[in-house]
Amino acid sequence: MNGRRLWAIVIKELRQLRRDRITLAMVIGIPVLQLVLFGYAINTNLRGLNAGIADQAHTAGSRALVMDMLATGVVSPVATVNTPQQLMTMLRRGEISVGIVIPADFERRRIDGRPVAQILVDGSDTAVQAAAAQLAQTPVDSALPDTRAPPTSTPRSGRISVVGFYNPQRRSAINIVPGLIGVILTMTMVLFTGIAIVRERERGNMELLIATPLTSAELMVGKVLPYIVIGLLQTTVILALGVWLFAVPIRGSVLDVYLATGLLILANLALGLLISTRAQSQFQAMQMTFFIFLPSILLSGFMFPFAGMPKAAQWIAEVLPLTHFLRLIRGVMLRGAGLWDLWGDVLALVAFIVVMMAAAIMRFRKRLD
Amino acid sequence: MSADEAIAIRARGLTRRFGELVAVDHVDLDVPARQVYGFLGPNGSGKSTTIRMLCGLLTPSAGEIEVLGLRIPAEADALRRRIGYMTQRFSLFEDLTVRENLEFLAAVQGVPKARSRSRIDELVGQYHFAEQRNQLAGTLSGGQKQRLALAGAVIHEPELLFLDEPTSAVDPESRRDFWEKLFDLADTGTTLLVSTHLMDEAERCHRLAILDRGALVADGSPRELTSALQGRTLVVDAIDPRRAQRVIVDLPGVLSVAQVGSSLRVLTTEPVTAAEAATDTRHRIDEALVAAGQQAATTATPANLEDVFVAVTRNPMKPEAHAA
Ligand SMILES: Nc1ncnc2c1ncn2[C@@H]1O[C@H](COP(=O)(O)OP(=O)(O)OP(=O)(O)O)[C@@H](O)[C@H]1O
Ligand SMILES: [Mg+2]
């Protein structure tokens, strides 16, 4: 790769972008518009949330209570640990969404009417909070193994307390804004590069470009680089608006936020380039962009909770960059996690970028036929 | 100088199909170095397709190509550094200025950084863009765009230039200027392959090839080509040229009749035995005109390239004359 030729492409793209008023307006206009439009989130019932269990009582009664909770199907156990602290760590890393804590004095609490168990919830997802509230309805008394009839007046609620972490006020904007960074970047980044190659083909520039010593890699990378800057600019607009309008917290490091966003931007640009090498016209490129965009919005966990989806949909979601980005950005912004806590999703994004970029470079032929 | 150096482009059996259509059909070419070589042919005859294959942009369906000693398309990457290609359609960036376009090409074509600025200034001067250097290329006139495209194609001083209908939008006055530049380039050792369908341009080329429906139907210097038509061109001066045209157009031995002002230019078919058949046809024409009561005088005239073009392309303008 020749640095001078690469730079020439970057400069050319920036100069063209500067004169393209509509695209420039889109860079700022789309984030602002979407932020306002997505004011509300949609919640649905969840099933199969990852749960960690810390049963410190180890009595027949406590085991029966846990069994009853699992029987609802809302949660499925992925880990059994000893202390609530361990649950907190797993929650922060995103390994579990719900933690069930049964204290050592479970039997005594049950008799004297104090809360007998605690459900720790990842409140950064409002849908999970709603599901936890449902779990808390598990009747404690029917789980009693002994014959003593419980007082019927015992209020069912209140016996299991729900503690939401990270978003105690259950404000949906807090969930929406980090997700929105991902959605907006998916839409605009794929579109920008999706039309990048086709446009030059349609305008006749491609015949000139491929007759020069430019290599495929120089052309592809040169087209991607300027849009990274654009993407980070958009991120800044959304973050600033989110913090200013909705008081969205950034609990992790800002650097991690930008690193995670940088990964998503690259993933989407690479995907856009691949689309661009396939599409015959700008219109086709837009159609293909939409084809990617819809599942991203619907399956990534942005609109509907990931855990609420059938297995097949979850598999599809795992190959969408937005899914991994949402886990990263929610982890960093709302739970204060570091990127290293969520290395699995970082790895997934990096793999996606490498594969897409390589495919785009290989697919692009310096030929007209 | 070895024979290989003297030939810049050599093609054998060059063929390109697009589905059923054979766009280029077994073309053999030898383009001498340091000359202006013309590519003449009607619309859709395969000029652009041939040029694209010669620069390695299109893969031939069959045939062999050697350009500047490189086998194409296998060694196309090495060739790209040594050629300039001016596309038929304007292919510079319309949303960049004249200067920005040239800067981009200088960088991409590997003009040394130190030389880049002076080379661009030089081109801006030579190609008369001093006042328009900051104008967007998209707002230039058609002829100006072609001038800019030529400047862009020569920025790295290539050994070989492919120009695909470079003057289609250039006015006659500027076209002379344009061709001066092409000959200047040939003088400095550049080989030029220029496609055109303008006869006056074809006339200027050192050598030319005529393509028709993908096939190479004639090649040689303009003089060679026209002298091959010796004795086959006649001028009929008639009082009523339209009626006279109707009288002679269907006569045996008449290949085409075209009205030029108040006279008719007649091209006769290839004679079986040289001068004899041509005079036969001339007699037939005179007799037919007399029989039709037309006052006219027939004289022989030297052939020009347009006659060559009509003679070798297989669609002479007879049907049109009929419709009139
Ligand atoms: N990519 C393509 N796909 C299908 N057919 C093509 C393609 N490119 C060219 N052709 C066909 O090949 C034939 C030759 O086209 P070409 O562009 O080489 O003609 P040309 O001599 O340059 O004509 P013009 O003077 O109009 O530029 C035409 O019939 C054209 O329709
Ligand atoms: Mg053409």
Side-chain angles (χ1 to χ4, degrees):
Chain A
M1 199 171 295
N2 174 306
R4 179 145 177 248
R5 291 199 296 252
L6 182 66
W7 187 240
I9 294 276
V10 171
I11 293 289
K12 172 195 89 83
E13 291 289 325
L14 286 176
R15 281 174 168 164
Q16 289 182 307
L17 198 64
R18 198 184 62 202
R19 300 203 171 104
D20 184 354
R21 292 278 150 79
I22 301 208
T23 306
L24 273 188
M26 254 168 67
V27 169
I28 304 299
I30 288 184
V32 174
L33 195 72
Q34 296 242 10
L35 206 60
V36 175
L37 286 182
F38 281 97
Y40 303 92
I42 303 157
N43 297 326
T44 54
N45 287 330
L46 298 191
R47 302 192 68 73
L49 291 173
N50 290 341
I53 296 153
D55 183 356
Q56 296 176 309
H58 292 296
T59 65
S62 70
R63 275 191 291 273
L65 178 63
V66 170
M67 292 311 288
D68 278 1
M69 285 186 177
L70 297 185
T72 62
V74 172
V75 291
S76 59
V78 292
T80 307
V81 297
N82 295 323
T83 65
Q85 284 72 26
Q86 285 169 297
L87 290 181
M88 293 281 293
T89 306
M90 296 175 76
L91 209 55
R92 182 163 54 83
R93 291 197 181 138
E95 291 164 14
I96 56 171
S97 308
V98 177
I100 298 171
V101 182
I102 301 184
D105 55 354
F106 167 77
E107 292 297 338
R108 207 159 353 113
R109 284 165 171 265
R110 197 183 54 175
I111 291 163
D112 58 35
R114 283 183 292 152
V116 297
Q118 213 176 32
I119 295 176
L120 313 178
V121 187
D122 174 2
S124 60
D125 190 333
T126 44
V128 174
Q129 278 198 332
Q134 187 188 340
L135 260 194
Q137 302 298 316
T138 312
V140 173
D141 299 327
S142 73
L144 288 179
D146 61 358
T147 51
R148 263 189 302 164
T152 46
S153 61
T154 305
R156 281 184 164 189
S157 56
R159 300 297 304 269
I160 299 176
S161 62
V162 176
V163 184
F165 286 92
Y166 313 123
N167 183 10
Q169 299 97 29
R170 298 191 185 185
R171 286 182 301 140
S172 62
I174 285 184
N175 285 299
I176 289 295
V177 171
L180 209 53
I181 298 175
V183 169
I184 291 169
L185 289 177
T186 300
M187 188 156 118
T188 51
M189 291 294 115
V190 179
L191 195 63
F192 284 161
T193 45
I195 59 174
I197 304 283
V198 215
R199 189 186 55 199
E200 309 222 309
R201 205 170 285 145
E202 278 188 354
R203 292 188 185 169
N205 308 130
M206 200 44 83
E207 194 171 352
L208 171 86
L209 292 179
I210 62 176
T212 69
L214 270 175
T215 67
S216 308
E218 285 157 7
L219 193 59
M220 296 289 150
V221 175
K223 281 190 165 288
V224 160
L225 288 178
Y227 290 106
I228 296 178
V229 179
I230 301 289
L232 293 176
L233 203 73
Q234 288 189 319
T235 309
T236 308
V237 170
I238 306 164
L239 281 178
L241 278 179
V243 170
W244 178 53
L245 288 179
F246 300 106
V248 174
I250 304 177
R251 298 199 172 102
S253 88
V254 174
L255 181 66
D256 279 352
V257 171
Y258 276 94
L259 281 178
T261 313
L263 285 175
L264 179 75
I265 291 172
L266 274 175
N268 284 329
L269 291 175
L271 177 65
L273 275 184
L274 187 62
I275 287 179
S276 210
T277 57
R278 273 228 94 100
Q280 298 299 318
S281 63
Q282 292 194 52
F283 181 69
Q284 259 188 21
M286 298 236 236
Q287 283 181 313
M288 287 195 231
T289 303
F290 207 67
F291 188 75
I292 303 285
F293 183 60
L294 261 188
S296 287
I297 280 229
L298 296 178
L299 301 183
S300 64
F302 171 72
M303 227 162 201
F304 307 112
F306 189 79
M309 295 187 303
K311 268 277 168 297
Q314 290 188 354
W315 279 110
I316 297 173
E318 289 290 348
V319 300
L320 297 169
L322 186 57
T323 308
H324 298 283
F325 173 75
L326 284 185
R327 291 184 197 147
L328 289 181
I329 198 73
R330 284 179 177 160
V332 172
M333 282 182 68
L334 304 179
R335 299 199 302 269
L339 280 188
W340 56 90
D341 290 324
L342 305 155
W343 61 271
D345 291 304
V346 172
L347 209 64
L349 282 178
V350 171
F352 187 89
I353 295 166
V354 171
V355 170
M356 289 296 148
M357 203 66 200
I361 291 175
M362 282 190 308
R363 262 204 59 85
F364 181 74
R365 288 266 148 266
K366 286 192 73 183
R367 292 279 151 78
L368 288 170
D369 45 5
Chain B
M1 195 195 284
S2 79
D4 258 10
E5 271 177 321
I7 296 292
I9 302 173
R10 186 197 308 275
R12 289 291 173 268
L14 189 58
T15 301
R16 171 71 203 205
R17 293 183 203 91
F18 293 109
E20 291 286 285
L21 178 86
V22 185
V24 176
D25 194 0
H26 293 91
V27 166
D28 295 341
L29 269 185
D30 291 287
V31 178
R34 296 150 215 259
Q35 288 200 353
V36 181
Y37 193 91
F39 242 34
L40 189 65
N43 292 134
S45 55
K47 301 184 295 290
S48 299
T49 306
T50 307
I51 290 179
R52 285 174 179 148
M53 287 192 285
L54 296 178
C55 337
L57 302 184
L58 262 183
T59 316
S61 309
E64 285 168 21
I65 307 173
E66 202 184 294
V67 182
L68 301 178
L70 299 166
R71 303 196 60 77
I72 305 302
E75 295 175 292
D77 281 338
L79 180 69
R80 290 199 172 102
R81 298 162 198 286
R82 299 169 62 186
I83 59 163
Y85 172 36
M86 177 176 162
T87 53
Q88 180 170 2
R89 177 180 169 192
F90 184 66
S91 58
L92 291 181
F93 300 96
E94 305 218 331
D95 45 1
L96 293 187
T97 65
V98 168
R99 200 180 169 89
E100 287 167 350
N101 267 301
L102 293 177
E103 282 171 1
F104 174 75
L105 284 170
V108 158
Q109 296 283 18
V111 177
K113 247 198 179 113
R115 168 121 176 76
S116 190
R117 179 179 285 269
S118 63
R119 176 68 178 147
I120 290 170
D121 288 339
E122 195 177 302
L123 287 173
V124 163
Q126 269 176 25
Y127 287 79
H128 319 301
F129 283 116
E131 275 152 39
Q132 289 163 312
R133 73 179 85 197
N134 293 320
Q135 189 177 335
L136 291 183
T139 62
L140 293 174
S141 80
Q144 290 167 342
K145 279 183 184 169
Q146 289 190 318
R147 193 145 36 91
L148 177 61
L150 180 63
V154 301
I155 195 160
H156 54 305
E157 297 166 282
E159 295 161 58
L160 174 59
L161 257 183
F162 292 95
L163 307 174
D164 196 354
E165 293 188 28
T167 58
S168 55
V170 174
D171 67 67
E173 174 67 29
S174 315
R175 198 144 74 214
R176 292 174 59 145
D177 190 40
F178 203 100
W179 274 83
E180 284 301 311
K181 293 203 164 62
L182 300 192
F183 282 116
D184 285 347
L185 287 164
D187 258 3
T188 60
T190 311
T191 307
L192 294 101
L193 193 147
V194 185
S195 85
T196 182
H197 37 217
L198 297 170
M199 296 305 155
D200 64 315
E201 283 197 349
E203 216 113 25
R204 296 167 190 258
C205 298
H206 292 111
R207 289 179 73 81
L208 60 123
I210 300 181
L211 285 177
D212 183 38
R213 300 179 217 191
L216 186 94
V217 288
D219 66 337
S221 68
R223 188 183 299 262
E224 283 165 11
L225 290 171
T226 48
S227 59
L229 286 190
Q230 193 63 53
R232 286 175 56 191
T233 40
L234 305 168
V235 169
V236 179
D237 288 302
I239 303 282
D240 185 350
R242 310 264 331 136
R243 185 161 302 161
Q245 182 174 18
R246 250 169 283 158
V247 171
I248 54 181
V249 72
D250 278 331
L251 292 177
V254 172
L255 186 62
S256 85
V257 183
Q259 186 171 350
V260 182
S262 61
S263 58
L264 297 172
R265 193 172 182 92
V266 179
L267 181 65
T268 63
T269 53
E270 200 159 357
V272 189
T273 52
E276 186 194 350
T279 39
D280 277 359
T281 308
R282 188 171 165 183
H283 284 307
R284 260 201 297 281
I285 290 173
D286 287 337
E287 283 162 14
L289 286 171
V290 170
Q294 294 293 309
Q295 289 191 322
T298 307
T299 45
T301 184
N304 62 23
L305 267 183
E306 186 163 342
D307 299 322
V308 175
F309 190 72
V310 171
V312 297
T313 58
R314 278 174 290 164
N315 49 349
M317 293 150 217
K318 269 195 169 176
E320 278 172 28
H322 256 311

